Amino acid sequence: MNDRGVTVLLGFILLMMISITFLSVVQTYYVPSILKDRELKHNDEILSSLIDLTSALTKERPNVIELNLGVEYPKYLFLMTPSTGSGSISAENFNISLEYNETYPEQRYNSTKFQTQRILVTLNYYVNPRTIFIYENTAIFKKPGNITVAEQSVFQRGRITLILINSSIGSLSANYPLDLAVVPVSYGGEVLAKNVTIEFESINPQYWKFLEKLGYNVTVDSRKVKIEAENVILSINYVYFTVGLGISTEQTQEIYESMSSNLKPSRIVKITYPQLNEINVT
């Protein structure tokens, strides 16, 4: 082998070594950074879908919301990136106890217990920690850290709108977009109530203490939350939703029509009362 051939071979080997080193650096530092950013973006997309769920739960018509559990990672030549990430959605039952004195349109005492659900969305990421969004009484919490990422809308100053959820989700894993069909079963009724007491167990019980700023009396004992109010407008919405692929609004309407006749969780009364908007929690 002559000197020129040796020089060309050494140059080729050196170029390969430089290329391999460069790709190793990119694979080690640059690719994880890209994957992390993509996962954070997906995190925001999931949160946005759950916030849309709150809006859908308060509407008087069926809605369909997309929830994309899959994370699409970018692909690069000569670099290794994961396949599509996956997540899961599940429903967890819990009870809400409600006690109050109705003052209008009737004078009577009411005490009942409802079963509702909190929704858990678990995201299995490659770079970022495993993330769980917890949808509870319209508040959204995020783990790890038990961070509040969206405020509740059930308790307002002078008004309580309980939203009871029933679903056929169970537990479902996917790496693709799912459709949440939100079906209102009963809604819109209001009564004037005093001495209202609501109790439930919470994933993040200390969060509910902030309601004291709105005039409520809040007691927290371990996971148990007790919320009391003197005078409020009280209403109860009952919502059913299911998960599937390609659910149309027409299909959602069919679900609504098949269920609305036999799923009534409570007496719903529509009233017109001139003083309703003037009442404050004391």
Side-chain angles (χ1 to χ4, degrees):
M1 181 179 294
N2 56 37
D3 293 341
R4 183 176 179 181
V6 172
T7 302
V8 172
L9 180 60
L10 290 175
F12 176 76
I13 294 173
L14 180 61
L15 180 61
M16 289 296 296
M17 292 178 62
I18 293 174
S19 299
I20 292 172
T21 302
F22 174 75
L23 290 175
S24 298
V25 171
V26 171
Q27 182 70 52
T28 304
Y29 298 101
Y30 181 67
V31 170
S33 177
I34 294 176
L35 300 185
K36 182 177 182 179
D37 290 344
R38 182 64 192 91
E39 290 173 352
L40 291 175
K41 183 179 178 181
H42 179 256
N43 218 266
D44 292 340
E45 292 169 355
I46 293 293
L47 177 58
S48 178
S49 294
L50 292 176
I51 291 173
D52 289 343
L53 177 60
T54 295
S55 177
L57 291 176
T58 57
K59 292 181 179 179
E60 299 180 359
R61 63 180 185 275
N63 280 269
V64 177
I65 297 170
E66 183 181 279
L67 184 70
N68 187 4
L69 295 177
V71 188
E72 293 290 342
Y73 294 104
K75 303 298 181 185
Y76 299 102
L77 188 64
F78 303 124
L79 295 175
M80 293 183 294
T81 57
S83 58
T84 303
S86 65
S88 65
I89 181 171
S90 60
E92 180 180 279
N93 294 334
F94 71 102
N95 294 322
I96 296 181
S97 297
L98 172 63
E99 182 179 350
Y100 65 97
N101 289 303
E102 182 180 331
T103 59
Y104 188 87
E106 297 182 13
Q107 302 280 334
R108 66 175 187 173
Y109 169 78
N110 293 274
S111 178
T112 187
K113 181 181 288 185
F114 299 114
Q115 180 175 281
T116 185
Q117 292 180 328
R118 60 176 63 90
I119 306 303
L120 286 74
V121 178
T122 303
L123 306 173
N124 302 307
Y125 290 139
Y126 285 93
V127 179
N128 289 291
R130 181 171 178 260
T131 300
I132 303 176
F133 285 104
I134 303 163
Y135 189 93
E136 177 186 285
N137 287 334
T138 70
I140 304 175
F141 308 124
K142 179 182 176 181
K143 290 185 177 183
N146 227 11
I147 303 168
T148 302
V149 291
E151 300 292 344
Q152 63 84 38
S153 60
V154 169
F155 300 91
Q156 304 296 326
R157 188 177 295 276
R159 178 182 289 273
I160 299 175
T161 304
L162 286 180
I163 300 177
L164 307 177
I165 297 175
N166 185 16
S167 73
S168 61
I169 294 177
S171 181
L172 177 65
S173 298
N175 61 355
Y176 45 80
L178 296 173
D179 290 325
L180 300 182
V182 181
V183 182
V185 178
S186 64
Y187 53 86
E190 295 178 341
V191 298
L192 191 60
K194 68 177 183 179
N195 302 327
V196 180
T197 300
I198 296 174
E199 296 182 86
F200 58 91
E201 288 195 354
S202 175
I203 293 292
N204 188 4
Q206 292 299 325
Y207 163 77
W208 301 99
K209 292 286 288 183
F210 93 94
L211 292 178
E212 293 175 345
K213 297 179 181 179
L214 300 179
Y216 293 90
N217 181 36
V218 181
T219 304
V220 174
D221 181 12
S222 185
R223 286 187 57 185
K224 295 180 179 179
V225 179
K226 181 179 181 180
I227 301 171
E228 298 173 294
E230 288 296 322
N231 295 289
V232 294
I233 303 166
L234 175 65
S235 62
I236 301 172
N237 293 353
Y238 185 45
V239 181
Y240 175 87
F241 71 88
T242 186
V243 177
L245 288 174
I247 299 177
S248 66
T249 53
E250 291 78 11
Q251 290 173 312
T252 307
Q253 184 65 35
E254 291 175 3
I255 297 173
Y256 170 72
E257 291 173 353
S258 67
M259 299 188 64
S260 59
S261 60
N262 56 17
L263 287 178
K264 298 290 184 183
S266 64
R267 165 178 162 271
I268 300 297
V269 180
K270 291 205 173 195
I271 62 175
T272 301
Y273 192 66
Q275 299 179 2
L276 286 182
N277 294 327
E278 301 174 9
I279 294 172
N280 293 318
V281 177
T282 59

